[in-house]
Amino acid sequence: MKIAFSPNSALGQLLLLRSVAIVIQIVMLAIAAVVFGKQFDFVAVVGVVAAESAFQLLSIYAYRNTKEAAPIGMTMQLLADILFLTILLDLTGGATNAFVSLLVLPTVIAAVTIPTINMLMVSAGAIGAYLYLYIKMSHEHVHHMDMSTHLLGMLVNFTFTIIVVVTVVSILVKQNRKKERAIALLREQQLQQEQLIALGSAAAQATHQLATPIAHLALLHEELDESYPKEPCVQEMSEPLGKCKEQLNVFREFTEYLKSASKQLITIKHFAEQLKELTNLQFPQQHFRFDITNVQGALCDDPMLMPSILNLISNGVRANEQAKQTDIDVIFTSQLTEHVITILDRGEGIAKEKLAQLGHNVVSSESGLGMAVLLSHATIERLGGHLIIESDVSFGTKCTIKLPRVSDEVTACRR
């Protein structure tokens, strides 16, 4: 029989612990029978251990194809352990049995492995089991006042122990899980930053390698312009070469800006006007409708912010071209603590299965891998903002960018 759950899982460890407990019980029964004699109902105790062993085998068989049990399943397993242990204790001394403190163990396991509500059920089961043993033992020693007082003290002590253990273990487990989530998030951010650094290095290398050929082409164009000033193809080369040189200069400025120790502020209105100028220059075939009337305040300027937003606009332009549309709305709004930039195209939208991953993972599609959106998302999050992408067949794709608003009196931003 192939077992799906791992010995390191909560279910695997619980079943392993129960197997060890059953073996110990059998050994102790043998010792009690040989060394101390049968001072208890030996047949009944053997029957309980046999029933527990059968339950263990049924549990292994039931969960053989399950990697991890559901919280309700773990709860029932722990309550079964409390039931078997309570019957064994009842047959071998009740509340005065030295092993009665083992009723705390299922509660500890519950505090580590299952949610709070289920853990409270197991704790209530353990306290109820001890209360049953206490009541039965009190009836047997009804005329023995000292023994009754002792049993009552043990009940109070057991209840207090359960409360303390559950509270402390639960707090420690929550703190540990919180730290694990923080570490996982930090690792994810570190991996994302490493990917961005690798992409940035590749882009810088490509820029450096393109600088020399473009400079060489510019010199050749100047010579051709002098030799053939009226040639149409020579004149048409002038504008593309000029744009290439402008982009190379922008990349160099970004590199120098990244080397600086601080980020400067820029008013949101000035940023919107720069974005409007760049979009009209790069995508003259599209009709952009900018709304910058409700803007005020400033934001931290970053060399990667403008390209990040241009990437999102470029995706909208591509979607419009595929749908044979030309209208793109770019709306700027300033709120109390943030600036909101909304980009709305008229394309065919994005499939729902890809929309959830877009901006978080590399997503394969006919138009690319979603790398531009991934980089834009990483840049906006690094600046303390958020990127929300919504899609609908009726209006296309809507990108909402939220950036922290900075007071105009602040002169610089920290990295």
Side-chain angles (χ1 to χ4, degrees), residues 267-269 272 291-299 331-341 403 405-406:
T267 62
I268 186 64
K269 188 170 185 179
D291 184 1
I292 56 176
T293 56
N294 298 320
V295 294
Q296 56 183 348
L299 53 80
I331 304 170
F332 282 75
T333 305
S334 296
Q335 299 180 357
L336 185 62
T337 59
E338 61 186 9
H339 300 293
V340 181
I341 306 172
L403 296 168
R405 178 175 174 177
V406 183

Side-chain angles (χ1 to χ4, degrees), residues 150-171:
H150 176 70
L151 290 174
L152 179 61
M154 290 179 63
L155 175 62
V156 173
N157 177 67
F158 181 82
T159 305
F160 179 75
T161 302
I162 289 286
I163 295 173
V164 171
V165 168
V166 166
T167 303
V168 173
V169 173
S170 299
I171 292 174

Side-chain angles (χ1 to χ4, degrees), residues 10 113 180 225 240 292 314-315 323 327 357:
T113 58
E180 288 179 352
D225 191 34
I292 56 176
S314 177
N315 286 342
D327 293 333
Q357 302 180 15

Side-chain angles (χ1 to χ4, degrees), residues 251-392:
F251 291 152
R252 291 193 182 98
E253 290 177 1
F254 283 167
T255 303
E256 293 298 324
Y257 198 91
L258 285 170
K259 294 178 181 179
S260 63
S262 63
K263 301 175 184 178
Q264 299 300 318
L265 287 182
I266 182 172
T267 62
I268 186 64
K269 188 170 185 179
H270 183 53
F271 181 84
E273 290 173 350
Q274 285 184 345
L275 182 63
K276 181 179 180 180
E277 182 180 351
L278 287 172
T279 50
N280 290 328
L281 179 64
Q282 294 189 18
F283 312 107
Q285 71 279 10
Q286 294 288 314
H287 177 231
F288 290 94
R289 291 184 290 194
F290 274 78
D291 184 1
I292 56 176
T293 56
N294 298 320
V295 294
Q296 56 183 348
L299 53 80
C300 287
D301 191 15
D302 186 275
M304 294 304 299
L305 180 58
M306 186 70 74
S308 298
I309 299 178
L310 284 174
N311 282 337
L312 299 174
I313 293 177
S314 177
N315 286 342
V317 170
R318 191 179 298 110
N320 270 6
E321 291 175 347
Q322 293 176 353
K324 298 182 180 179
Q325 299 290 330
T326 58
D327 293 333
I328 294 182
D329 295 334
V330 183
I331 304 170
F332 282 75
T333 305
S334 296
Q335 299 180 357
L336 185 62
T337 59
E338 61 186 9
H339 300 293
V340 181
I341 306 172
T342 304
I343 303 169
L344 180 62
D345 63 51
R346 302 298 188 276
E348 297 179 354
I350 304 172
K352 290 184 178 180
E353 58 271 12
K354 294 182 179 180
L355 189 62
Q357 302 180 15
L358 197 61
H360 302 277
N361 300 308
V362 177
V363 181
S364 299
S365 64
E366 296 179 356
S367 58
L369 297 174
M371 188 63 71
V373 180
L374 178 64
L375 294 173
S376 299
H377 186 269
T379 299
I380 292 168
E381 279 199 339
R382 180 168 54 84
L383 296 174
H386 302 282
L387 172 62
I388 303 172
I389 302 178
E390 302 171 281
S391 182
D392 192 277

